[in-house]
Amino acid sequence: MTTQEEIRLAQALDRIVHWRRWGPYLSDRQWGTVREDYSHNGSAWDYFTHDQARSRAYRWGEDGIAGISDNHQRLCFAIALWNGEDAILKERIFGLTGNEGNHGEDVKEYYFYLDNTPTHSYMKMLYKYPQAAFPYSQLVAENQRRSREELEFELLDTGVFDDDRYFDVFVEYAKHSAEDILIQITVVNRGLEAKTLHVLPTLWFRNTWSWNGDDNKPILKEVKVSDTCNIIEASHLTLGMRWLYCQQATEVLFTENETNSQKLFGYSNTSAYVKDGINDYIVQGLKAAVNPDKIGTKAAANYILTVGAGETKIVKLRLSNTQNLVEPLGKDFDEIFNKRQQEAEEFYQRIVPHSLSEDMRNVQRQAFAGMLWSKQFYHYIVEDWLKGDGNAPSPPPERQNGRNQEWFHLYNEDILSMPDKWEYPWYAAWDLAFHTIPLAMIDPEFAKYQLDVLTREWYMHPNGQIPAYEWKFSDVNPPVHAWATWRIYQIEQKIYGRTDRQFLERVFQKLMLNFTWWVNRKDAKGNNVFQGGFLGLDNIGVFDRSAELPTGGHIDQSDGTSWMGMYCLNMLAIALELAKTNPVYEDIATKFFEHFLYIADAMNKIGEMEVSLWNKSDGFYYDVLHLNEQQITLKVRSMVGLIPLFAIETIEPETLKMLPGFKKRLEWFICNRPDLRQNVACMETTGIGARRLLAIASRDKLKSILQKMLDESEFFSSYGIRALSRFHAEHPYIFDVNGCQFRVDYEPAESSSGLFGGNSNWRGPIWFPVNFLLIESLQKFHSYLGNDFQLECPTGSGKMMTLREIALELSQRLMRIFLKNSSGKRPVYGATSKFQNDPHWQNLILFYEYFHGDNGAGIGASHQTGWTGLVANLIQECGEYKTQYHGQNNDEEKKAIALT
């Protein structure tokens, strides 16, 4: 039966009802971003600081706590809090800049995304607010004091949560209609004594009028006070009229979303009332800081709540396009909330009908919630940013030759999926591709839009390059977008029974341009061996692969070449699908087939003059350094040597039967180009079900690689595949250049190096995106090789497994990071007692950027649900597997039961 949420999604798709207009589109951090940086030297972190953010109007977006906005971010709503102790209002989430943290930028607050639906008909978030003064200075000072070899100093370490002296602040939204949003703020005092809390639900307009002389300035004003509520009217030229109905407040405060230039820069303000007016009124008691006429562009209802020990208090509001609502916060308010909550339950039960443990459902539900809460309005017009605004000082001349100046065409104004709305509040090209996989399960239209828009002319460079991220759009991320496009198409077909060939073809055509860019720009010698730079793997190599090498020369990259092999096969798979209804694509499929043969040949060939990326003696793939006439194999056992497994595709016999032209050309290559065929995994021998196989790694190479990958003393952690072999813990790789030593050591947690900022580490931790691709590759190899191909898993254990069983084992280890173990602990939280033992913390899930290679503890960005949200797909597959084998009295059922 179709759920109400699916009906809303269909109405949004058909443009009958604009259910997506309002959503959680506020950033968690707008300060410190490249967009807001108008410095002469590109020091974004220092140009616009957290301390300035309460007083300085943003140019390109807005931030807030648990906030929402419309899809063009004209009108925003979020909560602000004051505990009576802090020196400033808590209006935005705090963290350390990239220069302050001992491991790079790092959020220093505790907040959790608990629930959300694709149309945002129901949303729930939790923010934990200390009752003592927030230790801003202590967090900065202690983390700056610590070295890269030491752990980060966290908010829990300061003691402000001791004896549960904090408030749990739950923020919920329920849509009565697409333009009528109910808001409920629930405050719980977890402490042992009564405390007073100011709760300030805040409504404001993004400042769009100060930069280029826009005369159409919007207005907020108080229009009516009844016995039950205060009403703020919002008037905007394009958004129209909105009314915020506020449960009777102590007072309603108004100011302007304008920069306090007098405070920050020492020159006169353009307005008597400025952005930090409400802050100064509440915290400093400055009565003149707010407008007594109750008009402005920023307003907040002030609720002064005295909350007893263990007590709960609730504030209700309603943001609506309907004027003069009768009893806007009356009895139907709770009924609507209850109904939307029930509809959310029905929707997720429809998506995941399988029998799962309560804990697995909790983890998956919060993963979905994190994916949906991480949507953000992203606005960046590079031409305007480079030239400056008419009403603002001209940017420094250095800007014209600085960051992103070659991306003059880029015009971004969309709702996009962010990696982490605080640590990475900007889209990242390869992250975004992985985001679409869990998103496709619950909202395929939004997932498809992400890939579609990334390849449009206002994103993609005219030369075909996809923008990487705002810090440097010209950086190169792994080309995983064809893979994501193909997987979204398959997921939508599987779950919803729909095939969107128009989407498939549209994105495919644009990816053809991107593929050509790769071939023309990243193959230094034209020999089908690719470079590409760091390719998202940051510090994985002995050198910074994106910079000029200290040795000179260049590196032939095993991962760069393998990614291109994977790209070829993904494009081949799409072309074959499109060829089923349009024969023209048979020719294109043949082209990608041929190109893959050349890449696979180059990866595996051992010629007289060239060193192969495959090292026969080690049975592993490595990068090769070309230095004058010398070629040096860089024997670092890392993910670089596992990525060749990603380049695999099987072709079903039915496909070949439908496409005789392609089949004829394939067989011609097999017969006439033995020089290419010999270095590619077998194409002429049919596998299980008469499938054909295309892969870089042959059967023997696959076996050799997996023996290392499944060795627990090397890659195979109890929680997934490490990015670097543990072999290097006792055998670091060392390379001497002109008296300088470069080395790679096994580091299972944070990086001890400042390479790439030091907030990311590929020298030992576990990363979800590459683990997910390994699982898919194992499944594909199994579909060809079948049950007869078995390996020891773990290596040396004597326990033989098929590749499907190995894929299941790897999935189970990855899920283990988040699930409670036999002791009731979650490995993701390591030794953090509060998360492991406190009932108000232990079932709240954070989806970190990566995980400790030995104990599974979460590291890096704490809300990078983006690609770590892939755990939702793994849980889904686990449920499907259990359902498939339910009731069968065999080993498969035992494995399925063990998984759940």
Side-chain angles (χ1 to χ4, degrees), residues 179-422:
E179 302 288 349
D180 188 2
I181 306 165
L182 284 59
I183 306 164
Q184 182 166 284
I185 303 167
T186 303
V187 177
V188 184
N189 181 357
R190 298 295 183 194
L192 299 176
E193 58 185 10
K195 287 289 180 179
T196 298
L197 176 67
H198 290 248
V199 177
L200 295 108
T202 305
L203 188 71
W204 74 101
F205 288 108
R206 178 167 63 92
N207 188 324
T208 57
W209 55 87
S210 292
W211 319 109
N212 291 299
D214 185 356
D215 294 329
N216 297 306
K217 185 176 178 179
I219 297 174
L220 296 174
K221 62 182 179 179
E222 188 170 58
V223 293
K224 182 180 179 182
V225 179
S226 71
D227 293 337
T228 59
C229 65
N230 306 81
I231 304 173
I232 301 171
E233 181 181 86
S235 176
H236 190 282
L237 179 66
T238 60
L239 184 62
M241 304 291 288
R242 296 292 186 281
W243 291 267
L244 180 65
Y245 298 89
C246 309
Q247 180 179 320
Q248 190 69 53
T250 304
E251 56 193 337
V252 180
L253 309 170
F254 287 79
T255 188
E256 299 287 345
N257 187 14
E258 300 270 15
T259 296
N260 188 341
S261 300
Q262 178 67 47
K263 175 182 177 180
L264 296 177
F265 310 117
Y267 55 82
S268 299
N269 289 327
T270 59
S271 169
Y273 306 102
V274 286
K275 184 176 178 179
D276 54 13
I278 295 172
N279 173 89
D280 292 352
Y281 175 88
I282 295 291
V283 178
Q284 300 176 27
L286 300 179
K287 304 301 181 184
V290 296
N291 192 336
D293 294 330
K294 307 268 186 188
I295 192 169
T297 49
K298 178 181 179 182
N302 182 21
Y303 297 90
I304 305 175
L305 308 179
T306 299
V307 191
E311 188 181 6
T312 297
K313 289 201 172 179
I314 295 174
V315 174
K316 296 179 179 181
L317 307 100
R318 187 167 186 164
L319 181 61
S320 178
N321 66 338
T322 302
Q323 189 177 14
N324 297 324
L325 281 174
V326 178
E327 295 189 35
L329 310 176
K331 63 179 182 179
D332 68 327
F333 188 97
D334 293 335
E335 292 173 0
I336 293 167
F337 255 102
N338 292 336
K339 185 176 182 181
R340 294 295 177 261
Q341 290 169 341
Q342 182 58 40
E343 289 168 356
E345 295 295 332
E346 292 169 357
F347 173 73
Y348 283 110
Q349 185 60 40
R350 151 78 173 93
I351 300 300
V352 191
H354 315 291
S355 177
L356 296 173
S357 69
E358 183 179 346
D359 195 25
M360 293 179 82
R361 284 198 176 275
N362 177 49
V363 171
Q364 187 186 50
R365 185 71 164 267
Q366 290 189 53
F368 285 137
M371 296 298 308
L372 294 170
W373 271 99
S374 294
K375 292 181 182 182
Q376 180 183 309
F377 172 76
Y378 184 86
H379 190 28
Y380 188 17
I381 304 171
V382 171
E383 180 179 3
D384 293 352
W385 181 77
L386 289 171
K387 290 180 177 179
D389 299 307
N391 284 4
S394 297
E398 293 91 341
R399 173 175 293 252
Q400 301 306 315
N401 299 310
R403 178 179 288 132
N404 295 333
Q405 47 84 19
E406 69 273 29
W407 289 80
F408 207 75
H409 73 285
L410 189 135
Y411 190 113
N412 295 168
E413 187 180 3
D414 286 292
I415 304 301
L416 298 174
S417 177
M418 299 292 114
D420 179 314
K421 289 203 297 187
W422 193 95

Side-chain angles (χ1 to χ4, degrees), residues 74 101 126 139 269 408 421 439 492 500 657 661 766 841 872:
R74 292 160 291 194
L126 167 63
L139 288 165
N269 289 327
F408 207 75
K421 289 203 297 187
L439 282 170
E492 184 176 25
D500 190 344
K657 186 175 180 181
I766 295 153
W841 294 67

Side-chain angles (χ1 to χ4, degrees), residues 825-886:
K825 312 298 183 187
R826 300 185 193 276
V828 62
Y829 291 131
T832 307
S833 176
K834 196 73 171 171
F835 276 101
Q836 297 290 20
N837 301 312
D838 192 311
H840 300 301
W841 294 67
Q842 63 184 196
N843 292 321
L844 304 171
I845 310 298
L846 292 175
F847 299 88
Y848 286 85
E849 185 178 2
Y850 54 103
F851 302 88
H852 194 292
D854 295 336
N855 61 36
I859 310 169
S862 56
H863 290 78
Q864 196 156 348
T865 320
W867 61 23
T868 302
L870 288 163
V871 70
N873 295 75
L874 297 182
I875 291 172
Q876 180 84 344
E877 291 179 9
C878 169
E880 291 172 356
Y881 187 78
K882 182 180 179 184
T883 299
Q884 180 181 357
Y885 293 102
H886 179 68

Side-chain angles (χ1 to χ4, degrees), residues 531-809:
Q531 290 77 52
F534 77 97
L535 280 172
L537 306 189
D538 295 3
N539 61 347
I540 200 165
V542 66
F543 306 118
D544 179 348
R545 300 186 300 174
S546 287
E548 185 175 336
L549 298 176
T551 58
H554 73 273
I555 294 176
D556 284 344
Q557 293 181 215
S558 173
D559 57 334
T561 308
S562 302
W563 285 121
M564 281 302 290
M566 175 186 173
Y567 200 171
C568 277
L569 293 180
N570 297 146
M571 294 293 276
L572 170 63
I574 296 172
L576 290 175
E577 177 69 13
L578 295 173
K580 292 176 182 179
T581 55
N582 186 346
V584 169
Y585 284 99
E586 286 194 66
D587 293 338
I588 298 174
T590 302
K591 182 64 179 174
F592 282 110
F593 167 68
E594 180 184 6
H595 206 128
F596 173 74
L597 294 186
Y598 285 112
I599 290 173
D601 180 63
M603 279 283 295
N604 294 311
K605 184 185 293 182
I606 303 176
E608 293 182 5
M609 299 298 294
E610 297 289 328
V611 173
S612 171
L613 300 177
W614 173 254
N615 186 274
K616 189 174 182 180
S617 61
D618 282 10
F620 205 69
Y621 286 102
Y622 297 114
D623 285 350
V624 173
L625 171 64
H626 289 254
L627 184 59
N628 299 322
E629 299 301 317
Q630 190 179 13
Q631 298 170 57
I632 303 168
T633 298
L634 301 174
K635 292 192 173 184
V636 179
R637 292 187 193 170
S638 73
M639 188 59 65
V640 164
L642 301 180
I643 287 174
L645 300 181
F646 299 167
I648 174 177
E649 190 60 58
T650 58
I651 303 177
E652 299 294 327
E654 294 81 5
T655 300
L656 291 176
K657 186 175 180 181
M658 291 178 64
L659 305 173
F662 174 76
K663 182 180 180 182
K664 182 179 179 181
R665 296 181 189 108
L666 181 147
E667 290 174 345
W668 184 92
F669 270 97
I670 291 172
C671 295
N672 293 280
R673 293 301 304 272
D675 56 322
L676 295 179
R677 190 186 70 223
Q678 66 182 354
N679 285 314
V680 180
C682 181
M683 298 177 302
E684 50 190 319
T685 304
T686 56
I688 300 300
R691 295 182 179 93
R692 301 290 185 97
L693 174 73
L694 291 171
I696 283 178
S698 65
R699 181 188 180 105
D700 290 340
K701 289 186 175 69
L702 173 67
K703 185 175 182 179
S704 178
I705 293 169
L706 292 183
Q707 283 174 342
K708 290 182 175 61
M709 190 183 91
L710 299 175
D711 188 335
E712 292 182 314
S713 67
E714 290 220 32
F715 290 98
F716 204 31
S717 164
S718 297
Y719 305 96
I721 302 299
R722 303 176 176 103
L724 185 78
S725 170
R726 209 172 186 281
F727 168 83
H728 291 298
E730 297 180 3
H731 306 90
Y733 182 81
I734 299 173
F735 196 98
D736 291 307
V737 180
N738 300 324
C740 294
Q741 188 180 88
F742 295 83
R743 60 187 290 154
V744 174
D745 294 270
Y746 174 72
E747 296 182 299
E750 291 93 344
S751 174
S752 62
S753 164
L755 199 62
F756 290 91
N759 61 342
S760 168
N761 183 23
W762 286 81
R763 295 185 174 182
I766 295 153
W767 292 77
F768 253 78
V770 286
N771 270 264
F772 189 83
L773 289 176
L774 283 170
I775 290 169
E776 286 202 343
S777 297
L778 290 169
Q779 292 168 339
K780 287 183 179 180
F781 274 114
H782 175 79
S783 72
Y784 179 80
L785 295 170
N787 292 333
D788 291 338
F789 186 87
Q790 297 189 7
L791 291 170
E792 279 186 305
C793 181
T795 300
S797 66
K799 184 178 182 180
M800 305 301 292
M801 290 189 185
T802 66
L803 294 182
R804 180 174 66 177
E805 290 168 340
I806 292 171
L808 284 167
E809 175 66 21

